[in-house]
């Protein structure tokens, strides 16, 4: 779209063009001690350029792989643009990866350099370095350490280098060159390196610009891991459009306080965070009951009527206006306040979210829309827009992106954003891209208006002993609506009926324990008959919306929550179903034996 963005031809010239176009406008915002600090586009270029030249001094040639192992923080962005600017291919690694997982990615990608966040991440590399002969250098973002070059030392190397090399390098990069290998976090099997070209990501940015996903003047709050394509797209999109990225404080407990302080206008997230904010907003009312709960529920109803009126293009009548003013003051403004009170748009991606949560936030004036895609589509393929959305769907294809449904219900995608294939894995590439169409593994349908709905994952379909095909995602999302429930995994493949493994939300369980005068012991609460009865009552209520064969007959509460450390969740908090069912096989067998 004319006038929007930098018109860069690759991701290598994106930062120089952004610095030229947006100059002193704040590009990044982060907490330094107790203060939020801004760095302008020009300052980010001044930081990244010598880092890039320093990497070149270390022997990084065009096409060489530079890995980044760190939390989402401004230095991640500086090093990303530094490496891309000299024509290197960036290989992100999740900061939650174990030493062995780091070794796999570094070895598979043939990384020449690894940039690590701090001593903790450096220790992971040190543990496996003797098995990485191609790895030549480690660079530290923060502090100093044995066997690594500090950020300051790398900058000094770059400042002493030939300054004209920078422009020669970034100008030489073409859309066909490889921008990044993003390793899928993989809910099954070892991760696969998705090879994404500069042209793929530039096409994705053009689609984002054309659909106004990010708007000029936005402040985007970013806590998602930059090793994930969703966060990476927000980073690139923000630099392309001259908007500000506000980085989290690298502490999950700080996400809500950060939203309140930063008052962002754009918030990309995953369902788990929206679920937690929903619980924070509603659980107190459930306990309060009586008049308080009645006013709360009535206010949400008024908010829904107001949104319907606005979207129909009608002016609210006198009565609705008065009711809304009261509802907004008492309830709705407080819900918006949880997001900072200035949110234009929130986007949920990476996994399905319960439509009821979306309707709840919408009533309060917080529009949360779903987008969909995968690493293989350079982040996204469909988008719901504020002026064109339908709750419960993932919107419509981005312009230039084609989506169709195969005979078996699988969603297929074609477009300039579809990746180049899997690194060193031609068999998987041939299975995934057939006749130019990407086979996504998601099952879905397209309605008469063109909105796309995901109904499940091909590999997650449960086929009961009676031969009935069931996609568990919607059932799990509804069971997770109970404030005490953190995660839910429905099981029933080749079994007579469905059962569910659930885990308790640590914060809500602690509150429940305090109210009932019980010790805050997760395992004891999981075994508590009152807790079990409350969750089973909720499951029975959910079952009323489903056919008998789709109903969950029994539930067990696991003694601890699922986690990344235990290998049960991916870094974007998606459940690794196969790992969970294998790990808790005994608990599942007990449910069927009882």
């Amino acid at each position: 779209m004319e006038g929007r963005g930098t018109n860069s031809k690759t991701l290598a010239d994106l930062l120089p063009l952004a610095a030229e176009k947006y100059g002193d406008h704040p590009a990044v915002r982060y907490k330094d001690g107790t203060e939020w600090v801004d760095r302008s586009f020009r300052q980010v270029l001044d930081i990244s350029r010598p880092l890039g030249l320093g990497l070149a001094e270390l022997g990084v040639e065009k096409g060489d792989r530079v890995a980044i192992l760190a939390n989402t923080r401004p230095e991640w962005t500086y090093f990303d643009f530094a490496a891309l600017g000299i024509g290197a291919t960036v290989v992100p690694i999740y900061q939650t990866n174990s030493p062995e997982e780091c070794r796999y990615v570094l070895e598979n990608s043939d990384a020449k350099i690894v940039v690590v966040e701090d001593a903790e991440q450096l220790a992971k590399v040190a543990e496996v370095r003797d098995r990485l002969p191609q790895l030549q250098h480690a660079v530290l973002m923060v502090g100093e350490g044995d066997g690594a070059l500090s950020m300051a030392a790398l900058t000094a190397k770059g400042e002493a280098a030939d300054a004209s090399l920078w422009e020669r390098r970034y100008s030489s990069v073409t859309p066909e060159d490889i921008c990044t290998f993003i390793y899928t976090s993989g809910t099954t099997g070892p991760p696969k390196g998705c090879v994404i070209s500069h042209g793929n990501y530039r096409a994705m940015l053009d689609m984002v610009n054309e659909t106004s996903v990010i708007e000029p003047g936005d402040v985007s709050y970013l806590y998602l891991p930059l090793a994930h394509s969703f966060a990476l797209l927000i980073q690139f999109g923000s630099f392309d459009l001259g908007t500000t990225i506000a980085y989290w404080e690298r502490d999950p407990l700080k996400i809500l306080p950060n939203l309140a302080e930063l008052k962002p206008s754009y918030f990309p997230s995953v369902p788990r965070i929206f679920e937690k904010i929903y619980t924070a907003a509603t659980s107190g009312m459930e306990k309060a009951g009586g008049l308080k709960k009645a006013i709360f529920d009535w206010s949400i109803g008024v908010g829904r009527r107001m949104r319907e009126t606005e979207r129909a293009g009608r002016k609210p009548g006198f009565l609705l206006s008065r009711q809304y003013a009261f509802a907004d003051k008492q309830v709705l403004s407080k819900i918006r306040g949880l997001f900072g009170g200035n949110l234009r748009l929130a986007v949920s991606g990476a996994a399905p979210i319960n439509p009821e949560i979306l309707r709840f936030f919408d009533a309060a004036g917080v529009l949360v829309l779903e987008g969909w895609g995968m690493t293989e589509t350079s982040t996204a393929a469909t988008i719901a827009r504020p002026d064109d959305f339908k709750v419960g769907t993932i919107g419509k294809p981005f312009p230039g992106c084609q989506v169709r449904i195969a005979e078996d219900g699988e969603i297929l995608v074609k477009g300039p954003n579809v990746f180049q294939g899997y690194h060193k894995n031609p068999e998987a590439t041939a299975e995934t891209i057939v006749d130019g169409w990407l086979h996504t593994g998601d099952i879905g349908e397209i309605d008469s208006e063109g909105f796309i709905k995901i109904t499940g994952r091909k590999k997650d379909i449960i086929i009961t002993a009676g031969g009935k095909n069931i996609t568990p995602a919607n059932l799990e999302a509804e069971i997770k609506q109970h404030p005490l429930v953190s995660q839910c995994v429905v099981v029933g493949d080749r079994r007579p009926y469905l059962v569910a493994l659930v885990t308790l939300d640590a914060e809500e369980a602690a509150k429940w324990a305090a109210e009932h005068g019980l010790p805050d012991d997760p395992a004891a609460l999981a075994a508590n008959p009152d807790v079990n009865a409350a969750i089973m009552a909720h499951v029975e209520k959910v079952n009323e919306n489903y056919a008998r064969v789709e109903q969950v007959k029994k539930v067990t509460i696991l003694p601890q929550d699922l986690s990344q450390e235990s290998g049960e969740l991916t870094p974007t908090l998606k459940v690794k179903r196969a790992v969970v069912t294998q790990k808790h096989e005994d608990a599942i067998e007990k449910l069927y034996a009882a």
Side-chain angles (χ1 to χ4, degrees), residues 374-418:
M374 51 206 300
T375 312
E376 289 85 343
T377 62
S378 308
T379 307
T382 74
I383 183 73
R385 297 168 58 164
D387 59 349
D388 191 23
F389 72 92
K390 188 186 279 188
V391 171
T393 77
I394 52 166
K396 296 175 180 177
F398 274 98
C401 203
Q402 298 173 61
V403 175
R404 68 180 175 90
I405 309 293
E407 281 180 24
D408 64 356
E410 185 175 9
I411 298 174
L412 310 182
V413 176
K414 188 187 261 190
N417 54 327
V418 170

Side-chain angles (χ1 to χ4, degrees), residues 148-452:
L149 203 63
S150 71
M151 187 168 166
L154 185 68
T155 298
K157 261 186 190 302
E159 284 170 342
D162 174 6
S164 67
L165 178 67
W166 173 251
E167 189 171 349
R168 289 206 304 276
R169 279 286 191 99
Y170 76 68
S171 301
S172 74
V173 177
T174 70
E176 291 70 41
D177 288 324
I178 303 308
C179 170
T180 183
F181 292 173
I182 300 183
Y183 281 77
T184 60
S185 48
T187 51
T188 57
K192 297 193 286 281
C194 295
V195 177
I196 300 175
S197 70
H198 282 266
N200 288 146
Y201 247 125
R202 187 58 254 184
M204 191 72 248
L205 287 180
D206 292 341
M207 293 176 189
V208 162
N209 285 352
E210 203 171 322
T211 47
S212 304
V213 172
I214 301 169
E215 289 279 14
D218 269 346
V219 173
S220 302
Y221 177 64
L222 199 59
Y223 78 90
L224 295 168
L226 274 163
H228 190 269
S229 59
F230 190 9
L232 213 49
L233 180 63
I234 301 305
Q235 173 191 274
F236 291 144
S238 297
F239 273 78
D240 197 29
L241 283 172
T243 64
T244 307
I245 302 170
Y247 296 78
W248 74 321
E249 286 190 74
R250 303 184 296 283
D251 175 354
L253 297 178
K254 294 275 176 69
I255 292 175
L256 277 173
N258 282 176
L259 288 170
E261 287 174 47
L262 289 161
K263 301 180 172 30
S265 51
Y266 184 76
F267 180 42
S269 188
V270 294
R272 189 72 199 108
I273 299 301
F274 293 117
E275 288 160 5
K276 286 187 93 63
I277 297 173
Y278 173 82
T279 300
T282 57
S283 62
M285 287 305 136
E286 290 300 322
K287 293 188 184 91
L291 184 62
K292 257 190 173 170
K293 184 175 180 333
I295 290 171
F296 187 85
D297 292 344
W298 174 84
S299 297
I300 296 295
V302 169
R304 283 185 179 170
R305 289 204 301 282
M306 182 60 106
R307 297 289 95 78
E308 284 162 17
T309 303
E310 289 168 349
R311 287 190 185 122
R314 299 195 308 270
K315 242 179 118 66
F318 175 76
L319 181 61
L320 180 56
S321 297
R322 293 297 295 269
Q323 288 175 331
Y324 186 78
F326 179 80
D328 197 56
K329 189 177 179 192
Q330 296 297 318
V331 174
L332 308 181
S333 61
K334 294 180 174 69
I335 296 169
R336 289 198 301 279
L338 292 171
F339 294 90
N342 190 39
L343 206 60
R344 176 182 67 79
L345 182 63
V347 175
S348 180
I353 188 168
N354 191 325
E356 267 315 296
I357 293 178
L358 301 180
R359 290 188 186 101
F360 171 85
F361 284 132
D362 185 39
V366 175
L367 186 59
V368 183
L369 296 179
E370 286 190 271
W372 170 85
M374 51 206 300
T375 312
E376 289 85 343
T377 62
S378 308
T379 307
T382 74
I383 183 73
R385 297 168 58 164
D387 59 349
D388 191 23
F389 72 92
K390 188 186 279 188
V391 171
T393 77
I394 52 166
K396 296 175 180 177
F398 274 98
C401 203
Q402 298 173 61
V403 175
R404 68 180 175 90
I405 309 293
E407 281 180 24
D408 64 356
E410 185 175 9
I411 298 174
L412 310 182
V413 176
K414 188 187 261 190
N417 54 327
V418 170
F419 79 143
Q420 305 299 303
Y422 297 112
H423 184 55
K424 294 181 181 172
N425 198 337
E427 298 85 3
T429 302
E431 282 171 23
T432 305
I433 302 177
V434 183
D435 299 328
W437 287 92
L438 174 74
H439 287 242
T440 67
D442 278 329
I443 303 290
E445 54 201 38
I446 303 176
D447 72 13
S448 58
E449 295 172 83
F451 288 102
I452 303 162

